[in-house]
Amino acid sequence: MSARAAPDRQDPMRIQVSRTGGFAGIARRHEVDTGGRADAAEWQALAEEALRSARDTPPTGVPDGFRYAITVGDRTVYCADPDLTGAQRTLISRVLKEGA
Amino acid sequence: MHLRTDGDLHPVFCTIVPPHVLDHLSRSADARLADPARRTLAADGLRRDRRRATALAAVPTTPGVGAVPTKPHRTLYDCGNGTTLPGRKVRDEGDKPTSDASVNRAYAGLGATFELLLSAYGRSSIDGKGLPLIGSVHYGEEYNNAFFDGEQMVFGDGDGEIFLDFTVAVDVIAHELAHGLTQHTANLRYEGQSGALNESVSDVFGSLVKQYSLGQSAEQADWLIGAGLLAPRVSGDALRSMKAPGTAYDDDVLGKDPQPGSMADYIETEEDNGGVHLNSGIPNRAFHLLATALGGNSWERAGQIWFDVLTGGELTANADFAQFARLTVAAAGDRFGAADEREAVLKAWSEVGVPTKA
């Protein structure tokens, strides 16, 4: 657990994922609002896990690799393929798939 | 494998080397490459026959420690839709084709790239020393990308909705491998204009591998990057067009191809490392203009000029378009004299709005 206080699990949480770069260079941006979702607690736990040990500045990444910015509440962290944690990978794919 | 230059052991070319490659190597500034090539040429009297591609089939071979490899060493891995690299080894050099088309396409694509570098430019693999080539397929689930991680190529299957398997296009495979070539040569920083040059060089050599494989001239080539990679429901021909940047696709989901084709439309952005996949359209179009102005096989003169700049040692890691352009003018002059080639290079950069005077 980070030094930062854990968000209150009852509060709605906005989770944004922005993906740039990649071979095609096509950006995608999606977000999930956990408010009113039955699986809100699960999303919040995943988001907290994804933020843990993440960087506050964008990594260099690799040629053609995707770059990601993950924003949870008021904090934005950065990561890049292929060096993602399992939680980051899961969160990114779920937000980009389910986000509106 | 590394060259041995000590003692009495001379590096030898241990497989079938086309004569024009030996001729090229014999002019190399690197004595380790030039000397054995000169010996082979002299011994076989091949200079007068160098247009005959079959002539070298009978070159004496002495398999030896320290020879510059003239055959690729490819190893393919299967990630099994996981993300652990490299994955499970499924095909090594010389192995028979597997039942997995992705593996076989990647194997063939790596071979085609090795072949162009060796045959057209006399370079043994991406490092010039026969570096083994490693590729992993079936990376991730429905993964819409391919990348070079600094050591190997990685290919996703695509989601079938927007992208198909990234191994379907030989130019995409060659594009990834060309990132390795750049890493081992000019090492262009993957950011801003040097990053766009890094991307463009990969598109150029990606397209050249495709053209060389298909035996297409500049006029016959489609000049597209990633043709066949977009799923059938997507409105588009490919991911990028070197001939007409900004026209490769126009789709409800993907949007419109945003690439500029001249400096007037250069995109300033924080995303994509400063738009490395966007502004690459500008040097891409310059290369297309040069290649079509010269005509014939693009890999011979236009490709040679680009290769000379990339590998010549003068291109800096943080080069901008103008530095690259000036060096192509100089390279054209060095290799072809004050001739049509140099004029065509000047004209190509002028058309895309990149200055060639310091």
Side-chain angles (χ1 to χ4, degrees), chain B:
Chain B
M1 247 194 202
H2 292 278
L3 283 166
R4 262 181 71 169
T5 51
D6 54 321
D8 295 321
L9 267 180
H10 296 295
V12 289
F13 297 99
C14 55
T15 53
I16 300 166
V17 186
H20 63 285
V21 175
L22 283 177
D23 186 61
H24 182 93
L25 289 172
S26 72
R27 286 182 276 114
S28 171
D30 185 341
R32 293 173 305 174
L33 288 172
D35 291 350
R38 287 195 194 111
R39 280 196 296 277
T40 307
L41 282 166
D44 293 1
L46 279 167
R47 275 189 188 282
R48 58 182 181 272
D49 294 331
R50 71 182 201 229
R51 286 173 194 279
R52 293 173 50 204
T54 54
L56 247 162
V59 166
T61 60
T62 313
V65 184
V68 179
T70 52
K71 278 191 168 178
H73 185 167
R74 296 160 285 184
T75 310
L76 272 296
Y77 295 82
D78 184 348
C79 291
N81 297 120
T83 52
T84 303
L85 291 170
R88 183 173 59 92
K89 189 193 283 191
V90 285
R91 188 173 177 189
D92 211 340
E93 187 62 43
D95 289 352
K96 288 187 183 128
T98 72
S99 57
D100 184 337
S102 302
V103 171
N104 299 332
R105 283 192 297 259
Y107 185 89
L110 298 183
T113 309
F114 186 95
E115 169 69 18
L116 176 78
L117 291 177
L118 185 68
S119 303
Y121 312 118
R123 186 176 181 89
S124 175
S125 192
I126 54 178
D127 67 342
K129 299 172 191 167
L131 188 77
L133 304 174
I134 303 165
S136 294
V137 301
H138 305 308
Y139 179 83
E141 287 179 27
E142 300 185 345
Y143 188 72
N144 276 336
N145 203 20
F147 62 88
F148 181 74
D149 81 347
E151 293 179 9
Q152 66 158 103
M153 283 127 288
V154 182
F155 303 95
D157 292 335
D159 61 2
E161 291 288 315
I162 298 173
F163 292 109
L164 305 178
D165 187 325
F166 275 72
T167 61
V168 297
V170 70
D171 48 314
V172 173
I173 298 169
H175 173 110
E176 295 313 327
L177 194 42
H179 279 307
L181 174 65
T182 297
Q183 180 179 303
H184 283 279
T185 53
N187 200 20
L188 291 160
R189 199 164 66 89
Y190 205 66
E191 178 86 40
Q193 289 199 12
S194 58
L197 286 168
N198 189 320
E199 269 303 307
S200 178
V201 161
S202 271
D203 279 351
V204 164
F205 287 100
S207 182
L208 290 180
V209 168
K210 180 176 171 180
Q211 293 175 35
Y212 182 84
S213 302
L214 296 172
Q216 290 179 333
S217 67
E219 295 74 24
Q220 293 166 327
D222 63 13
W223 294 99
L224 296 171
I225 300 298
L229 187 55
L230 291 170
R233 59 160 294 281
V234 177
S235 304
D237 300 322
L239 287 176
R240 289 186 279 278
S241 168
M242 298 179 70
K243 180 180 187 172
T247 66
Y249 58 86
D250 189 353
D251 180 74
D252 292 346
V253 176
L254 280 187
K256 187 180 179 301
D257 175 3
Q259 278 210 313
S262 75
M263 285 308 282
D265 301 315
Y266 186 91
I267 298 169
E268 294 284 356
T269 174
E270 299 277 305
E271 291 185 357
D272 186 29
N273 290 41
V276 297
H277 294 88
L278 302 177
N279 294 315
S280 56
I282 298 166
N284 276 359
R285 192 164 80 92
F287 184 82
H288 166 266
L289 288 167
L290 172 64
T292 49
L294 295 177
N297 295 325
S298 307
W299 60 87
E300 289 176 359
R301 289 183 289 166
Q304 183 72 62
I305 292 166
W306 251 239
F307 181 87
D308 286 349
V309 172
L310 183 69
T311 60
E314 287 185 65
L315 185 65
T316 59
N318 64 349
D320 60 8
F321 289 179
Q323 185 200 116
F324 189 89
R326 287 194 300 274
L327 288 171
T328 58
V329 175
D334 287 349
R335 191 168 279 276
F336 301 107
D340 297 348
E341 289 83 0
R342 189 172 174 281
E343 284 306 309
V345 170
L346 286 167
K347 190 158 183 290
W349 288 113
S350 171
E351 284 196 44
V352 302
V354 173
T356 43
K357 287 192 169 61

